[in-house]
């Protein structure tokens, strides 16, 4: 098992050790061995280098989850660049904004999405080179065919994989931004590798493990799935979007693929417990169930643990900016009378945590405050947003930079933290981070919308439901169908409001701001 300082070095070490082992599986479609994945990503590295990609550049990945996408991110790392995974299911305009924002030099894109993305990028004045991959191929043959075609035009000379500075960026993950546009969280090899090593120490994976890859690659949960798995020479089982939310098919897949380490947002585990018919299948291979991203309601967690009592269950907590920073192993069985969620637990061994009041002073143990994190797992900043980066950190007198998570917690006597809520307007929906301000900014782009205010409400089934309160410039308001279509074209699916409520004019406070409190009371 490699302790190298770069993500791709660790993968290369696994490939040297077990070239014949299966690295990635696309259930029902294909798979690739470590040796084949190493050669394919080498070929991509060479092509990227020929296209001018150097150390410190960015490469966009606009592919559905596939062996091609895994090879694409490894090839990017080997070329010394940072990969930028973009949600291929979100509107192309949002993808183009992200790719333009961080000035990618090359985009690796699925054929069906290439024209639309190209047009959106051209509209922004961006012309990165494109490597177009046919999406119906499996086992890496989409990328292999694209590279063969490019080699026929001009052969890419063999180069060497680049290992420069552990502080070089490994990937940029874009999350919802409160000012209306997504913001890029920059993470270095050092950030990623220290997190991956913490996972090795805590979950003790082996080459015999089969990891689920349920989260999309633009979501930070994917870092554990992909990079912990590849470091240990284990097998990564890709779970596609089409199965990802379909509880009965997903339950079958976990059993058939003999997944041993599962990681996802709690919402999908709650669906599995309710609708997965889990009792029908054999889950004897499943030894760890990890979840993160939002609070797991205890009644659903208990139902799951009763159906599957064998695995170890761990609640992992952390924002994209730090990846996992606290964790808690749920003691089983869960008592019938327990209704409060489990704590987010103790700080991970590679990080430090403290709880701050509004002035930035640490509070007494037991008091509420904002959780702040420092250490080698903490991001390098937000791409091209120096002021937001500066606001995100608190600099202590000893020079330590503490990342302010925006999460309100309290620390118990046993050093476990309890999550109490957010300081701002960010909510989690199906595990995705949603800034209500980004939805409002999206709605304001509609020509007929005069005012938009968005609120989230607790929802028994969905966890959180989102309502948009709107007023229009025109007497004839847009129809529900028109507004929903507009949202589908401008916002990712998980940001589309559940309800739209129209007003002639939204209620105002005495300072003439939209009165969110009164809006809340109308529901
Ligand atoms: P993201 O950047 O998408 O990973 O979202 C990070 C935010 O999700 C955190 O700041 C928390 O508000 C929330 N979150 C993450 N993990 C947990 C957890 N285990 N329990 C409760 N909230 C969580």
């Amino acid at each position: 098992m490699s302790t190298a300082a770069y993500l791709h070095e660790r993968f290369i070490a696994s490939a040297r050790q077990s070239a014949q082992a299966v690295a990635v599986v696309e259930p029902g479609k294909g798979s690739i061995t470590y040796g084949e994945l190493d050669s394919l990503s080498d070929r991509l590295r060479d092509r990227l280098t020929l296209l001018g990609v150097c150390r410190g550049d960015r490469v966009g990945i606009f592919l559905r989850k596939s062996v091609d996408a895994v090879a694409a991110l490894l090839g990017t790392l080997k070329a010394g660049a940072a990969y930028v995974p973009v949600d291929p299911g979100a509107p192309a305009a949002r993808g183009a904004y992200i790719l333009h924002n961080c000035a990618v030099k090359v985009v690796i894109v699925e054929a069906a999405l290439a024209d639309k993305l190209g047009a959106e990028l051209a509209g922004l004045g961006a012309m990165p080179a494109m490597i177009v991959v046919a999406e119906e191929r499996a086992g890496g043959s989409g990328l292999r065919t694209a590279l063969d075609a490019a080699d026929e035009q001009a052969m890419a000379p063999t180069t060497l994989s680049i290992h420069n500075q552990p502080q070089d960026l490994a990937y940029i993950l874009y999350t919802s931004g409160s000012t209306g546009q997504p913001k890029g969280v920059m993470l270095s090899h050092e950030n990623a590798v220290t997190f991956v090593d913490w996972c090795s120490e805590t979950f003790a994976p082996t080459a015999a493990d089969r990891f689920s890859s349920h989260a999309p690659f633009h979501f930070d949960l994917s870092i554990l799935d992909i990079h912990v798995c590849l470091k240990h020479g284990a097998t990564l089982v890709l779970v596609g979007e089409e199965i990802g939310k379909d509880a009965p098919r997903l339950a079958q897949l976990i059993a058939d693929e003999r997944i041993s380490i599962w990681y996802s947002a709690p919402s999908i585990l709650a669906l599995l417990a309710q609708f997965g018919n889990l009792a029908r299948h054999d889950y004897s291979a499943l030894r760890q169930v990890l979840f993160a991203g939002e609070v797991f309601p205890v009644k659903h967690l208990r139902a799951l643990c009763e159906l599957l009592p064998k695995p170890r269950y761990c609640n992992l907590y952390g924002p994209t900016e730090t990846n996992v920073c606290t964790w808690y192993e749920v003691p089983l069985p869960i008592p019938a009378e327990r209704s409060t969620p489990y704590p987010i637990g103790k700080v991970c061994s590679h990080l430090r945590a403290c709880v701050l009041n509004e002035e930035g002073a640490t509070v007494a143990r037991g008091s509420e405050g904002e959780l702040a994190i420092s250490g080698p797992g903490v991001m390098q900043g937000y791409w091209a947003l120096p002021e937001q980066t500066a606001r995100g950190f608190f600099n202590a007198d000893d020079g330590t930079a503490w990342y302010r998570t925006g999460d309100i917690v309290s620390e118990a006597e046993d050093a476990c933290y309890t999550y109490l809520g957010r300081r701002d307007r960010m909510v989690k929906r199906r595990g995705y981070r949603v800034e209500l301000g980004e939805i409002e900014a999206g709605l304001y782009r509609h020509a007929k919308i005069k005012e938009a205010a968005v609120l989230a409400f607790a929802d028994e089934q969905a966890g959180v439901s989102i309502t948009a309160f709107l007023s229009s410039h025109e007497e004839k308001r847009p129809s529900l169908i028109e507004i929903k279509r507009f949202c589908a074209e401008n916002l990712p699916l998980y940001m589309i409001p559940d309800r739209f409520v129209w007003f002639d004019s939204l209620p105002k406070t005495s300072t003439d701001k939209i009165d969110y409190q009164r809006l809340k009371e109308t529901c």
Side-chain angles (χ1 to χ4, degrees), residues 175 219-221 266 291-296 315-321 326 342-344 403 405-407 419 421-422 426 428 431-434:
T175 66
F219 195 4
D220 71 338
L221 270 68
F291 51 89
E294 60 195 347
V295 173
F296 201 155
N315 180 14
L316 312 186
Y317 155 88
T320 306
E321 287 83 345
T326 71
Y342 280 98
I344 54 172
Y403 171 69
T405 61
D407 289 317
Y419 176 83
R422 288 287 305 170
M426 194 245 272
K428 296 306 288 267
Y432 288 101
R433 173 158 155 179
V434 176

